[in-house]
Amino acid sequence: MLNYIIRRLLLIIPTLFGIMIVNFIVIQTAPGGPVEQIIAQIQGNAVDATARVSGGGTELTNNDLENRQNFSQTSGFESKYRGARGLPPELISEIEKMVGFDKPIHVRFVHMMGNYATFNFGDSFYKDQKVVDLVLDAMPVSISLGLWTTLLTYLICIPLGIRKAVKDGSRFDAWTSGVIIFGNAVPSFLFAILLIVIFAGGSFVDWFPLRGLVSENWSELSLVNKIIDYLWHIALPVTALTIGAFAGLTMLTKNSFLDQINQQYVITARAKGLTEKRVLYGHVFRNAMLIVIAGFPAAFIGILFTGSLLIEVIFSLNGLGLLGFEAALNRDFPVLFGTLFFFSLLGLLMGLIGDLAYMIVDPRIDFESRDV
């Protein structure tokens, strides 16, 4: 087992390198990069024309941009960048140097991966902060949402799916299927809005806060009150995510158990006089749960990033999903690649954890005899 874990950890390095190089080429060669974003700011076409743009120790303030723009009106320079017509070549060169686009794409990639190897993720172009600081600030929100949602989803779905398999075709199976279909049909963000309307001062009661992971005076609270305050803040967002996430896993658990219940070894176990509980949890469980466990890493990563994006927006939670989304919109490449690196690494580690969970559920699985 130890040899397998070491091999998998070593395999993460080339896999992560491959993921980064593919995404780097796609993102770096796509139109509308950071140079175009800064040019749009100069021309007054950016979404936020008052933002400060920085990188590599150089900053362009609004006064600088205004002076450059006045100068550009008399220039006839033609640029390869969209919207750069009329801007002086000196300004374009300065912007390229500032965001690192003055070097060939392969040099930029090698430089970025060399910095990543020393845990230097660079600085944001637009927030005047280190990427690692932005990621670490957003990490508690995303981990809280992803971990609690995944945990609650599995705690609800596995017993419910087993119960539905045992009671297949009964009234319990019918009405719970109706609830599941309804929960699957309504997006999580609509549940979030409904919860706000009912429980967060919308139209009924005002029991829960609308923003933040903790209160402003959280550091002053006692340990017990800190825990209560934290759970109080994440109650609504986690509830919204859990309602929208448990449908698929419940049906997967049910179908897995139904498939195993009809196997010959179950019939043999019942013929030997074993109790239904012993048959279900002693024999069926470990076989049926393999496919459920296989989906755990993907479920966690999905909730952590894509699933929680709108929830983070609705509840004003600054998580990794929102951070990466804003970086993509602003073409903030250091933040974009930094979050991509963290998510890719986390996904690969979760895949390893999922494999190890196989062994816990079914000790008959031997990873030592497998080639990675």
Side-chain angles (χ1 to χ4, degrees):
M1 176 58 65
L2 180 60
N3 292 333
Y4 173 78
I5 295 175
I6 294 174
R7 293 200 307 269
R8 283 293 300 270
L9 291 175
L10 293 176
L11 185 61
I12 287 177
I13 298 175
T15 305
L16 188 60
F17 184 85
I19 293 173
M20 294 303 297
I21 193 171
V22 170
N23 285 277
F24 187 88
I25 293 174
V26 172
I27 294 175
Q28 288 272 349
T29 56
V35 176
E36 284 89 344
Q37 287 291 101
I38 298 174
I39 290 173
Q41 182 183 1
I42 295 173
Q43 302 286 21
N45 298 324
V47 176
D48 184 7
T50 63
R52 292 172 63 88
V53 184
S54 66
T58 304
E59 293 189 357
L60 292 179
T61 64
N62 288 332
N63 290 333
D64 296 330
L65 298 178
E66 184 177 357
N67 293 334
R68 304 280 186 181
Q69 187 175 12
N70 291 336
F71 174 78
S72 69
Q73 294 174 354
T74 61
S75 173
F77 172 68
E78 294 292 336
S79 174
K80 62 182 178 180
Y81 298 108
R82 183 181 303 174
R85 185 174 183 179
L87 293 179
E90 295 83 2
L91 176 60
I92 300 298
S93 298
E94 184 178 347
I95 295 174
E96 288 180 331
K97 183 178 180 180
M98 184 179 62
V99 298
F101 271 57
D102 58 326
K103 302 179 180 65
I105 185 171
H106 66 279
V107 176
R108 300 201 299 268
F109 178 76
V110 172
H111 179 71
M112 184 187 75
M113 295 307 296
N115 288 334
Y116 281 15
T118 59
F119 301 99
N120 178 16
F121 297 94
D123 300 323
S124 170
F125 288 156
Y126 299 94
K127 295 189 177 182
D128 293 333
Q129 287 183 263
K130 292 184 178 298
V131 173
V132 67
D133 292 336
L134 292 172
V135 171
L136 291 178
D137 289 341
M139 190 76 75
V141 173
S142 295
I143 294 296
S144 294
L145 293 178
L147 190 60
W148 283 111
T149 301
T150 305
L151 179 62
L152 289 177
T153 300
Y154 271 73
L155 288 177
I156 294 172
C157 293
I158 292 176
L160 181 59
I162 295 173
R163 186 67 175 175
K164 285 176 64 62
V166 174
K167 299 292 184 179
D168 184 42
S170 65
R171 293 181 61 183
F172 173 82
D173 182 42
W175 73 261
T176 52
S177 295
V179 174
I180 290 172
I181 292 173
F182 175 77
N184 191 43
V186 181
S188 297
F189 72 89
L190 288 183
F191 279 119
I193 295 173
L194 178 63
L195 291 174
I196 289 175
V197 171
I198 297 177
F199 298 108
S203 300
F204 296 91
V205 296
D206 188 8
W207 291 347
F208 295 94
L210 275 175
R211 62 180 64 246
L213 190 63
V214 293
S215 300
E216 294 182 358
N217 64 335
W218 187 79
S219 59
E220 303 174 0
L221 301 176
S222 63
L223 178 59
V224 174
N225 289 331
K226 283 182 178 180
I227 296 174
I228 294 175
D229 182 78
Y230 165 74
L231 296 175
W232 181 49
H233 278 77
I234 68 169
L236 293 187
V238 168
T239 300
L241 284 171
T242 302
I243 292 175
F246 75 90
L249 184 59
T250 301
M251 298 308 298
L252 178 64
T253 304
K254 175 189 174 182
N255 293 333
S256 298
F257 270 79
L258 283 178
D259 179 67
Q260 293 298 320
I261 286 174
N262 296 322
Q263 297 294 325
Q264 183 63 43
Y265 74 90
V266 177
I267 299 175
T268 303
R270 286 171 174 167
K272 289 182 178 180
L274 297 179
T275 63
E276 191 66 20
K277 185 176 181 180
R278 178 71 180 275
V279 171
L280 190 62
Y281 293 100
H283 295 77
V284 176
F285 182 82
R286 66 180 181 181
N287 294 318
M289 285 304 297
L290 290 178
I291 190 172
V292 177
I293 290 175
F296 176 81
F300 179 74
I301 295 298
I303 294 172
L304 189 65
F305 185 58
T306 57
S308 63
L309 174 58
L310 290 176
I311 300 299
E312 290 176 8
V313 174
I314 292 172
F315 289 98
S316 299
L317 299 172
N318 295 320
L320 286 175
L322 184 59
L323 179 65
F325 179 71
E326 291 178 344
L329 289 181
N330 295 325
R331 305 300 191 271
D332 194 347
F333 282 3
V335 177
L336 186 59
F337 287 119
T339 54
L340 175 64
F341 181 86
F342 277 101
F343 274 115
S344 300
L345 179 60
L346 183 60
L348 293 172
L349 291 175
M350 290 302 299
L352 175 59
I353 293 174
D355 283 350
L356 297 180
Y358 277 136
M359 189 201 69
I360 296 175
V361 175
D362 191 349
R364 295 173 300 175
I365 296 178
D366 182 17
F367 287 112
E368 291 292 344
S369 60
R370 289 180 49 190
D371 293 329
V372 179

